[in-house]
Amino acid sequence: MEVGSLRERIIISLLIYKFGEANVETEIPITEPEVDVKLFGEPVSIKTITGKGFSGVKLIWTVDAQKAKEFRETYYPHCDIILIQINWGSVGGFYYIPVEAQRKLFDRIGRNRYIKLPKPGTNPRGVEITKEALSSLVKDNLSKVIEINWQKTKIEYNPYKRWVDYWRED
């Protein structure tokens, strides 16, 4: 979850760079369960995945089985999604999935094929959008994609050194 928060900040910074601070609202109340940022006043959820497939993307983070079931029974897409697919050494993408595409698919396939509940007795940490649903959404004609060829660059970085040096300053 912490890695996801860091990735969200990087994407939000890109949105600020591209669209300007005045058009990107970052102070989102904690009561907004899915919204990570508002872009031009519209709510957006930022999701990231690593690998070739489209599975494991959380709609909400919870370990409570009852809350997961309640979520599935009350959920309806209400914000756009920016999905970043990181696929090291190959092609992934930066996907924009509008809420209209999500609602169209949700209405067509239903909540049970759209939402994957955690398996009882496991610790998956959340409720996911199904692989079927996400794969369909990224291919939808309303969705947009910028393909990215993900190449790793070796960077020598020691986060401890940075902070030790900082604490040494007067």
Side-chain angles (χ1 to χ4, degrees):
M1 203 164 137
E2 189 175 332
V3 169
S5 296
L6 177 59
R7 289 177 177 179
E8 284 172 16
R9 286 189 214 115
I10 293 168
I11 300 309
I12 291 169
S13 298
L14 174 64
L15 296 174
I16 292 169
Y17 169 77
K18 182 69 179 164
F19 301 112
E21 280 187 63
N23 298 311
V24 181
E25 185 181 335
T26 60
E27 298 300 320
I28 306 300
I30 196 75
T31 55
E32 294 283 345
E34 293 179 75
V35 180
D36 296 307
V37 66
K38 287 189 177 179
L39 183 60
F40 297 101
E42 296 297 320
V44 177
S45 177
I46 298 172
K47 311 286 187 194
T48 60
I49 53 174
T50 302
K52 291 180 182 182
F54 290 101
S55 61
V57 175
K58 305 288 188 247
L59 290 171
I60 62 160
W61 293 89
T62 182
V63 293
D64 184 290
Q66 185 59 36
K67 283 187 181 180
K69 287 178 185 175
E70 288 171 11
F71 176 83
R72 181 176 63 183
E73 295 310 312
T74 60
Y75 176 80
Y76 194 68
H78 72 277
C79 61
D80 296 341
I81 293 174
I82 291 176
L83 171 69
I84 310 303
Q85 180 193 28
I86 301 166
N87 191 11
W88 293 115
S90 191
V91 176
F94 186 114
Y95 296 86
Y96 166 72
I97 306 168
V99 69
E100 296 90 339
Q102 297 169 60
R103 289 176 177 167
K104 180 178 72 171
L105 180 66
F106 187 93
D107 292 342
R108 186 167 55 82
I109 69 172
R111 66 181 67 250
N112 291 335
R113 285 178 54 203
Y114 194 93
I115 298 169
K116 178 182 174 188
L117 290 179
K119 289 182 182 167
T122 64
N123 185 18
R125 300 181 305 274
V127 177
E128 298 176 1
I129 185 170
T130 64
K131 181 178 181 178
E132 170 194 5
L134 194 54
S135 295
S136 294
L137 287 171
V138 299
K139 294 173 189 166
D140 190 281
N141 63 348
L142 295 175
S143 297
K144 306 293 181 209
V145 62
I146 299 170
E147 289 188 342
I148 300 171
N149 188 4
W150 293 94
Q151 300 301 317
K152 283 189 179 183
T153 303
K154 180 105 171 121
I155 298 174
E156 295 297 326
Y157 175 71
N158 182 338
Y160 298 111
K161 181 181 180 333
R162 173 185 173 201
W163 289 105
V164 168
D165 291 347
Y166 176 79
W167 293 118
R168 284 190 181 132
E169 291 179 10
D170 289 327

PDB file of all heavy atoms in Angstrom, residues 45 68-69 105:
ATOM      1  N   SER A  45      -9.280   8.306  -9.640  1.00  0.00           N
ATOM      2  CA  SER A  45      -8.618   7.281  -8.847  1.00  0.00           C
ATOM      3  C   SER A  45      -7.367   6.846  -9.606  1.00  0.00           C
ATOM      4  O   SER A  45      -7.435   6.582 -10.813  1.00  0.00           O
ATOM      5  CB  SER A  45      -9.555   6.079  -8.655  1.00  0.00           C
ATOM      6  OG  SER A  45      -8.911   5.051  -7.942  1.00  0.00           O
ATOM      7  N   ALA A  68     -15.962  -5.883   2.858  1.00  0.00           N
ATOM      8  CA  ALA A  68     -15.761  -6.232   1.448  1.00  0.00           C
ATOM      9  C   ALA A  68     -17.093  -6.589   0.797  1.00  0.00           C
ATOM     10  O   ALA A  68     -17.391  -6.124  -0.315  1.00  0.00           O
ATOM     11  CB  ALA A  68     -14.765  -7.382   1.325  1.00  0.00           C
ATOM     12  N   LYS A  69     -17.915  -7.383   1.482  1.00  0.00           N
ATOM     13  CA  LYS A  69     -19.222  -7.763   0.941  1.00  0.00           C
ATOM     14  C   LYS A  69     -20.130  -6.541   0.804  1.00  0.00           C
ATOM     15  O   LYS A  69     -20.829  -6.385  -0.198  1.00  0.00           O
ATOM     16  CB  LYS A  69     -19.876  -8.818   1.830  1.00  0.00           C
ATOM     17  CG  LYS A  69     -19.246 -10.185   1.713  1.00  0.00           C
ATOM     18  CD  LYS A  69     -19.904 -11.175   2.646  1.00  0.00           C
ATOM     19  CE  LYS A  69     -19.178 -12.516   2.605  1.00  0.00           C
ATOM     20  NZ  LYS A  69     -19.713 -13.466   3.586  1.00  0.00           N
ATOM     21  N   LEU A 105     -19.698  -0.918 -18.742  1.00  0.00           N
ATOM     22  CA  LEU A 105     -19.288  -2.309 -18.540  1.00  0.00           C
ATOM     23  C   LEU A 105     -19.943  -2.897 -17.293  1.00  0.00           C
ATOM     24  O   LEU A 105     -20.436  -4.024 -17.317  1.00  0.00           O
ATOM     25  CB  LEU A 105     -17.764  -2.417 -18.439  1.00  0.00           C
ATOM     26  CG  LEU A 105     -17.243  -3.837 -18.230  1.00  0.00           C
ATOM     27  CD1 LEU A 105     -17.533  -4.705 -19.466  1.00  0.00           C
ATOM     28  CD2 LEU A 105     -15.759  -3.827 -17.925  1.00  0.00           C
TER      29      LEU A 105
END
